[in-house]
Amino acid sequence: MKHYSAFAVAREALRYHTGWERAWRSPEPKKRYDVIIVGAGGHGLATAYYLGKNYGIQNVAVIEKGWLGGGNTGRNTTIIRSNYLQDPSAALYEKARDLYEDLSQDLNYNVMFSPRGVMMLAQTQHEIRGYQRTAHANALQGVQTEWIGPERVKQLVPIINIDGPRYPVLGALWQERGGTARHDAVAWGYARACSAMGMDIIQQCEVKGVRTENGRVVGVDTTKGAIDCEKLGIVVAGHSGQLAEMAGFRLPLEAIALQALVSEPIKPCMDVVVMANTVHGYMSQSDKGEMVIGGGTDAYNNYTQRGSFHHIEETVRALVETFPMISRLKMLRQWGGIVDMTGDRSPILSTTPLDNCFINCGWGTGGFKAIPGSGWGMAQLMATGHSPLTEAFSLDRFKEGRFIDESVAAGVAH
């Protein structure tokens, strides 16, 4: 019997379901593009898609040193929500959540969006005050959330233990229209749509240098040769610092591993997403029956994608207290992703000191939920020079002291 690699299976599945091979067959780059996007993850592909759809800019190359969706887009726990505290964050994430609702129809590709609801547990008095404040802010922002008590939590999640030995459940911030989507499908859907517009998605193409003239970007040097461009977008998550240094500027970021794991599949027992910041864990159940589990970031800077046993132990121990029934489950697999963290836990979507060079980074642990909104705003910024969605998230905020503090609403321990 012939055996196939996971990559080969994914490639053949894409061919079967879409009829398109262009997104996986990396063409040789042309000598010049109007726009080059570095990074073929969700944010990069969404930026390219909305450049073409909203502004007619289709002479675009999305270049990727690995494979399509092989970074954080394929390594996250797929949570989608918009219950953030600050007005700029709520606007950006709510735009993304709204776009997710119709994304399958827009891309003509099933991204498996599941609006199952997301709750963020309050297990201390401090968290009660913080989440109630967020609920009031969301009401003013037009974001549909509510504060619920422990009885309602137990009703929505029967398997939860609200009388935990360390931290009882005192209530939760509940967003009924939040949920999950299939992370790989989001990347594939955007890739197929970009390919249909005639854009080039060039894999195994690593950027080795950024070429400039008179303070303006003119192209990039890659392992597949030099490519000229009018505009450059850098969308590479945890490797943003390296690309920025090639372009001649620095970013206020640190790279940290964030780990996740899934259990063996079991019968349906939990149809919402539960996040618990105090005990450092969150969990949902996938369509295949696996319990999808994640926690806080590592305590030190690193670029590993393997994860570490002690962090998994800490996360699972916390969740077993909150969900005792999972104690007998076996771990099926685990992995890590490299997240790019800013000091205020908010992203950077901005112009840069290099003219016609744009940066999209700093999403930390919450990048997947923002993909459509991020791409929408970034495309508008690159096409017109301004976007109301991205204005507050510029690099200038760090030297001007205009921080967008989302350390509580980020939902996991940092």
Side-chain angles (χ1 to χ4, degrees):
M1 179 181 293
K2 188 173 182 180
H3 294 277
Y4 294 91
S5 68
F7 180 81
V9 171
R11 182 186 63 227
E12 294 304 318
L14 182 69
R15 288 176 177 172
Y16 176 80
H17 287 293
T18 69
W20 280 95
E21 297 184 16
R22 184 170 183 167
W24 289 92
R25 286 182 176 175
S26 299
E28 287 301 311
K30 296 187 290 190
K31 290 185 178 180
R32 186 173 188 84
Y33 293 93
D34 292 335
V35 175
I36 291 177
I37 303 292
V38 184
H43 290 267
L45 291 165
T47 300
Y49 172 70
Y50 293 116
L51 278 170
K53 179 186 177 184
N54 295 349
Y55 303 99
I57 301 172
Q58 298 181 358
N59 182 25
V60 176
V62 184
I63 60 178
E64 167 62 49
K65 78 171 184 177
W67 65 92
L68 189 157
N72 289 352
T73 298
R75 293 172 177 271
N76 64 84
T77 50
T78 75
I79 298 171
I80 296 168
R81 60 184 179 86
S82 60
N83 51 354
Y84 278 69
L85 175 64
Q86 307 296 345
D87 290 350
S89 305
L92 181 59
Y93 286 103
E94 179 64 11
K95 177 66 175 178
R97 192 207 56 77
D98 185 57
L99 288 170
Y100 263 123
E101 289 192 334
D102 299 315
L103 192 60
S104 294
Q105 292 84 353
D106 185 27
L107 299 177
N108 191 28
Y109 192 94
N110 185 9
V111 302
M112 305 182 197
F113 176 64
S114 171
R116 62 185 64 190
V118 176
M119 70 169 61
M120 303 171 70
L121 300 181
Q123 296 179 281
T124 65
Q125 292 298 320
H126 174 73
E127 278 190 310
I128 291 177
R129 292 190 293 270
Y131 287 146
Q132 288 181 340
R133 178 190 179 196
T134 301
H136 295 317
N138 289 162
L140 294 173
Q141 295 154 350
V143 176
Q144 185 179 342
T145 62
E146 61 177 311
W147 169 259
I148 60 175
E151 297 80 11
R152 176 68 171 149
V153 171
K154 183 68 174 179
Q155 182 183 12
L156 289 166
V157 193
I159 68 171
I160 198 170
N161 176 22
I162 62 173
D163 300 314
R166 287 193 301 168
Y167 297 103
V169 175
L170 306 175
L173 183 64
W174 169 242
Q175 185 170 27
E176 190 172 8
R177 295 179 70 181
T180 62
R182 174 68 181 174
H183 44 20
D184 294 322
V186 171
W188 293 342
Y190 276 122
R192 187 181 74 152
C194 290
S195 183
M197 295 182 197
M199 299 179 184
D200 288 339
I201 300 173
I202 308 167
Q203 301 172 99
Q204 305 299 322
C205 181
E206 183 177 355
V207 173
K208 292 296 187 179
V210 177
R211 287 182 287 110
T212 64
E213 288 182 6
N214 301 319
R216 178 188 179 93
V217 66
V218 295
V220 293
D221 295 321
T222 76
T223 51
K224 294 193 176 185
I227 314 174
D228 294 339
C229 65
E230 282 293 319
K231 295 181 179 180
L232 175 66
I234 299 173
V235 196
V236 293
H239 290 90
S240 298
Q242 289 94 317
L243 267 292
E245 286 192 12
M246 293 181 191
F249 59 93
R250 298 185 66 189
L251 294 172
L253 291 175
E254 55 182 352
I256 311 174
L258 180 67
Q259 300 177 46
L261 65 141
V262 295
S263 75
E264 59 186 325
I266 57 176
K267 291 181 178 180
C269 63
M270 178 176 165
D271 58 1
V272 302
V273 179
V274 177
M275 308 178 69
N277 188 22
T278 297
V279 296
H280 304 175
Y282 50 97
M283 188 169 74
S284 64
Q285 188 168 20
S286 75
D287 295 335
K288 295 182 290 185
E290 302 161 346
M291 306 308 293
V292 183
I293 295 169
T297 55
D298 280 3
Y300 50 89
N301 295 351
N302 65 89
Y303 280 90
T304 180
Q305 291 180 314
R306 296 187 304 273
S308 57
F309 178 78
H310 72 276
H311 209 88
I312 292 172
E313 183 182 26
E314 178 185 349
T315 301
V316 171
R317 181 176 67 245
L319 286 175
V320 166
E321 290 182 9
T322 313
F323 304 95
M325 66 157 284
I326 72 170
S327 62
R328 297 183 182 181
L329 293 182
K330 295 180 174 65
M331 184 175 73
L332 187 64
R333 62 185 180 276
Q334 59 85 219
W335 63 91
I338 306 167
V339 299
D340 42 330
M341 201 80 71
T342 61
D344 60 359
R345 305 309 186 237
S346 291
I348 299 169
L349 299 101
S350 179
T351 57
T352 69
L354 180 61
D355 193 22
N356 273 6
C357 178
F358 303 82
I359 188 82
N360 179 342
C361 64
W363 290 100
T365 62
F368 177 76
K369 68 175 73 71
I371 283 174
S374 162
W376 185 284
M378 197 67 183
Q380 187 176 28
L381 177 64
M382 294 185 72
T384 69
H386 173 75
S387 171
L389 280 176
T390 67
E391 184 177 12
F393 298 99
S394 70
L395 270 171
D396 292 340
R397 78 177 189 267
F398 294 101
K399 64 181 181 182
E400 296 172 358
R402 295 184 290 102
F403 302 122
I404 307 171
D405 183 9
E406 292 289 4
S407 53
V408 173
V412 294
H414 298 320

